[in-house]
Amino acid sequence: MMVRWLGMILLPLFACQTVYKVPVKDWDVSASDNLVQCKAAISRMEAGIEKIILSKVKKEALLETEKVLSNFNKITSPLQFYSYVHPDKSIRDASKKCEMLCEKAQLKVFLRKELYEAIRTDEALSYDNEEVMLYDDYIKAFLNNGINLSQKNKEKFGNLKKRLITLSNDFSATLTAWKS
């Protein structure tokens, strides 16, 4: 009976390992490797977004953008995770910097008018339920980042949002380092 009970608990854990395929060794990076991998992921994400913008197939822009951003998050999430748990301060600091760089890179994505126009298409009327939900989320993200503002106001808003990202990360780092 005990073996059966343990099997019910452990089997899903082993199944998760095969689904995500994230080897433990990938989580062991130095501070400099963390930033190099983070910046490389940002470059790949920006290249993927640029490719979507240059593509003439607007119907696929939504799902292709989701793929690019999902892959970006899949690569950078482990790099950012260390900022909260790693015992080495230099790796925590590098991870925190990676987190800030990633947030600013994603902000730039949602300030791209060309990407907004590629995603916001009349073909959205033919999307199925899941695509409609995704479409709504993306349109809201663009609008919440000031996509419809004038260029001058968009730049102001973008600078304020970047400052907020910096302050938020600094506050988070302070809380993480706080020993009570």
Side-chain angles (χ1 to χ4, degrees):
M1 183 72 166
M2 179 67 148
V3 172
R4 186 173 172 195
W5 183 76
L6 272 172
M8 291 172 58
I9 292 173
L10 294 177
L11 185 61
L13 293 175
F14 290 122
C16 287
Q17 282 183 328
T18 58
V19 170
Y20 292 110
K21 296 182 183 174
V22 179
V24 175
K25 66 179 178 146
D26 286 350
W27 290 68
D28 294 331
V29 295
S30 68
S32 60
D33 286 345
N34 183 304
L35 286 175
V36 167
Q37 290 180 26
C38 185
K39 289 176 182 176
I42 290 170
S43 295
R44 282 192 303 275
M45 184 263 300
E46 289 171 343
I49 295 297
E50 194 62 37
K51 185 178 175 184
I52 293 165
I53 291 170
L54 296 175
S55 172
K56 300 297 180 201
V57 185
K58 301 297 183 192
K59 185 176 181 179
E60 296 176 10
L62 175 66
L63 295 179
E64 289 301 315
T65 302
E66 178 65 12
K67 284 180 192 175
V68 167
L69 293 178
S70 293
N71 286 335
F72 173 71
N73 287 325
K74 181 179 171 184
I75 292 167
T76 59
S77 291
L79 299 173
Q80 297 174 44
F81 178 68
Y82 271 147
S83 67
Y84 300 100
V85 298
H86 204 281
D88 185 345
K89 183 173 175 10
S90 66
I91 293 176
R92 283 196 315 269
D93 292 344
S95 296
K96 192 48 91 175
K97 183 171 181 169
C98 176
E99 184 176 2
M100 186 172 56
L101 291 171
C102 290
E103 288 180 24
K104 287 181 179 181
Q106 287 183 323
L107 172 64
K108 284 172 44 178
V109 167
F110 288 103
L111 289 173
R112 302 278 310 258
K113 186 79 168 176
E114 307 92 354
L115 183 61
Y116 174 70
E117 290 168 353
I119 290 174
R120 191 170 178 255
T121 176
D122 292 337
E123 294 171 2
L125 297 173
S126 67
Y127 288 160
D128 61 24
N129 288 342
E130 293 83 11
E131 290 172 332
V132 167
M133 290 172 40
L134 183 62
Y135 176 80
D136 286 345
D137 288 344
Y138 271 84
I139 296 302
K140 286 176 187 174
F142 279 106
L143 294 174
N144 287 339
N145 284 302
I147 198 71
N148 286 334
L149 296 174
S150 68
Q151 189 60 32
K152 181 181 175 186
N153 287 339
K154 192 186 314 183
E155 286 177 21
K156 260 191 213 180
F157 185 80
N159 289 334
L160 287 171
K161 196 99 172 181
K162 287 176 188 172
R163 179 75 177 130
L164 181 61
I165 290 169
T166 302
L167 290 172
S168 176
N169 281 319
D170 290 348
F171 180 73
S172 176
T174 302
L175 285 179
T176 303
W178 186 30
K179 305 220 188 305
S180 59

